Amino acid sequence: MEATAATAHEPQRRTEGIYVYCIIECAEPRRFGRIGIGGRGDEVYTVHHRELAAVVSRSELQVYDPTRENALTHEHVNEVVMVDNAFTPVPMSFGTLFKTEEDIVEFLKDTYDALRDVLKKMKDKLEFGLKVNWDRDSVLADLEREYEEIRRLKAQIETDRASSTYFARMQLGRLVEQALAAKSESLVREIYETLSEAALASRANKVIGDRMIMNAAFLVERGKAELFDRKIQEIGRRYEGRLQFRYTGPWPPYNFVTIRLQLQPTAGV
Amino acid sequence: MAVVERSPGGTSLIDVLDRVLDKGIIIDAWVRVSLVGIDLITVEARVVVASIDTYLRYADALGLTPGRATQGTLGAGAGSIDGVTSRSRATERA
C-alpha cells in the first residue's frame, strides 16, 4: 500500500515478470489455482520444455522481501504442487524472477540434463524436518548423578567458601562443558541411528540457540513416510520428558538439492 | 496417539525461511553480471542479489546465521553447474 502511494500517478506501467516456484516433470500444461505471489491472485501455471516444466505465475518484476506472506506463499505453491498434486518438485530458492516465458524455456533448455538428473533422483521422495531441544537444567542434574568428579568438585566449592575456589570452578566448568557435549553427541547419534532405517539421506543443519542439539532434514521415500513417522514416535516415547521434538513436513527436498547456477551472457548478446 | 505431532510444512515461518531462502535452485549471477552492462541479465541478477542481501539482514534479525552448510546430498547432480548461459531474445535491443 504505502509503496504505491508515491508512484500512483506515474503513467508508466510497472514491468511484468514471471516468478518461478519449482521445476517438475510434467509434459502437459497444468494449472494450480490463483495462488501466486504478490497478492494479485495470479494463476499458477506451467511453462514447458520437453518433459520438464517450471511452475510459475505472472508477477511484477520486483525484489521480493521474504516477508511472512511472501515466504509462506512461495512454500504454499510448492506444497500444492507436491501434496495435492503428487508431483516431486525441485524447489527454486525464494525470489527468482525471469522477465519472460521465453527466458524460462531457455533456462530449462540450458539446465535440462542437470534438472532431469536431479528430478530422477528426487522422484517420489519427501523431506521431513526434525529439531530437537533439550532441557539443559535437567540434563545437568543427570550429569551430576552420572559423573562422580562433578559431584566432588561441586562439594569442594560449596564447603570451601572462604578460600579461593577459582581453580575448582574453572575445572568444574570445563568438565561440565565436555560432559554436555558428549551427552548431546550420543543422543543425536542414537536418534540418527533409529531414523536411518527409514530415511535415504539426512543433512545436519546448524543448531539455533543453546537448547537445540539437533536440526536435521531427512529424505524419505513416499512409501516409507509411515515407517519414518513410526520411528519418530518411537524416539518421542524413548526420550519423553527429556527432549522436545519439532517434527515438520512433508517438504519439497530443499535440503537435498543445491544447484547454484551462474548466468553469463552469451557472445553476441 | 502420536507422541510427537507433525506440523505440515508451511505452518511455521522460521522453518519455511530456513529452507526457501538459501536452498534449492539458486541463481548465482552477480559476479559476472556486474561487468555486463545493461541487458535483461542484469535485471535478473539484480533481483537475485537484492533478495539475498535482504535475507542476510533478515537472518541476522532472527538470529539465524546463514551458515553455508556443506551440502550432504545423495551425491545427486547437485553442485555447481558453471557456465550456464542465458540467452534471451528479449534482450536483443541493440
Side-chain angles (χ1 to χ4, degrees):
Chain A
M1 273 301 182
E2 60 280 14
T4 53
T7 53
H9 301 295
E10 278 181 25
Q12 79 190 70
R13 271 181 37 224
R14 295 289 194 100
T15 319
E16 287 280 304
I18 303 185
Y19 189 99
V20 186
Y21 302 89
C22 56
I23 310 295
I24 57 176
E25 201 181 320
C26 172
E28 299 298 316
R30 290 289 299 253
R31 293 182 170 272
F32 296 102
R34 301 174 67 85
I35 54 174
I37 198 164
R40 308 188 306 193
D42 285 280
E43 178 80 29
V44 173
Y45 63 100
T46 48
V47 172
H48 296 261
H49 170 64
R50 298 172 68 177
E51 77 275 31
L52 298 187
V55 175
V56 307
S57 67
R58 305 203 127 270
S59 152
E60 215 172 80
L61 192 64
Q62 60 158 308
V63 175
Y64 276 101
D65 284 332
T67 58
R68 177 177 195 88
E69 192 190 350
N70 288 338
L72 292 181
T73 301
H74 177 103
E75 175 56 24
H76 177 62
V77 171
N78 271 288
E79 275 176 32
V80 167
V81 169
M82 178 182 70
V83 180
D84 304 348
N85 292 277
F87 285 104
T88 303
V90 171
M92 293 293 283
S93 175
F94 179 84
T96 309
L97 285 136
F98 287 78
K99 204 166 185 183
T100 64
E101 289 187 10
E102 290 72 36
D103 289 331
I104 294 174
V105 172
E106 284 299 326
F107 163 74
L108 292 176
K109 267 187 203 164
D110 284 338
T111 52
Y112 179 79
D113 291 339
L115 290 175
R116 217 182 44 162
D117 185 43
V118 172
L119 276 165
K120 212 169 86 194
K121 287 182 165 121
M122 290 298 139
K123 194 168 168 52
D124 292 325
K125 295 179 180 71
L126 305 170
E127 176 179 321
F128 290 93
L130 185 67
K131 288 179 177 169
V132 182
N133 286 320
W134 68 6
D135 175 11
R136 245 180 120 98
D137 291 342
S138 76
V139 176
L140 281 172
D142 285 349
L143 290 179
E144 207 179 315
R145 277 192 295 278
E146 287 169 33
Y147 286 76
E148 203 209 322
E149 184 67 6
I150 291 179
R151 286 197 303 274
R152 192 186 64 76
L153 280 168
K154 204 180 158 196
Q156 186 189 329
I157 293 164
E158 276 167 354
T159 52
D160 212 10
R161 280 179 201 238
S163 67
S164 167
T165 55
Y166 177 77
F167 186 70
R169 281 175 190 278
M170 284 284 286
Q171 227 182 331
L172 179 65
R174 202 175 302 134
L175 198 64
V176 167
E177 200 175 279
Q178 281 167 3
L180 279 173
K183 187 86 183 167
S184 143
E185 206 177 291
S186 84
L187 285 168
V188 167
R189 197 172 43 239
E190 281 167 36
I191 294 170
Y192 273 118
E193 273 165 17
T194 310
L195 293 174
S196 65
E197 184 187 325
L200 289 161
S202 64
R203 175 178 164 163
N205 287 313
K206 243 174 112 165
V207 296
I208 304 160
D210 63 357
R211 292 185 61 234
M212 195 182 290
I213 59 170
M214 179 173 173
N215 181 11
F218 293 86
L219 190 68
V220 177
E221 201 103 40
R222 249 181 222 270
K224 285 200 171 174
E226 266 182 49
L227 174 66
F228 185 78
D229 190 85
R230 280 202 301 278
K231 291 285 166 192
I232 293 271
Q233 302 312 325
E234 185 186 319
I235 291 167
R237 279 189 296 274
R238 194 190 307 159
Y239 300 109
E240 202 163 11
R242 291 158 64 206
L243 300 179
Q244 281 162 12
F245 298 92
R246 175 154 180 79
Y247 169 37
T248 57
W251 298 92
Y254 283 106
N255 276 283
F256 300 93
V257 177
T258 305
I259 304 178
R260 299 194 84 93
L261 298 170
Q262 300 203 324
L263 296 181
Q264 69 177 19
T266 46
V269 169
Chain B
M1 204 196 83
V3 190
V4 182
E5 295 289 338
R6 181 173 55 77
S7 315
T11 49
S12 146
L13 183 60
I14 199 150
D15 289 315
V16 170
L17 289 178
D18 229 8
R19 287 178 168 77
V20 306
L21 294 178
D22 68 343
K23 298 185 174 96
I25 302 171
I26 305 162
I27 299 190
D28 215 5
W30 53 91
V31 182
R32 286 151 202 253
V33 168
S34 57
L35 305 170
V36 176
I38 302 160
D39 59 20
L40 172 68
I41 298 165
T42 37
V43 174
E44 287 171 4
R46 264 210 327 259
V47 169
V48 175
V49 171
S51 65
I52 289 188
D53 282 346
T54 310
Y55 161 46
L56 293 177
R57 286 198 302 277
Y58 214 77
D60 287 345
L62 285 169
L64 295 167
T65 33
R68 295 245 169 267
T70 47
Q71 66 256 33
T73 62
L74 287 174
S80 70
I81 299 165
D82 286 333
V84 169
T85 55
S86 178
R87 289 174 296 277
S88 142
R89 284 164 202 128
T91 48
E92 286 166 8
R93 63 176 77 171

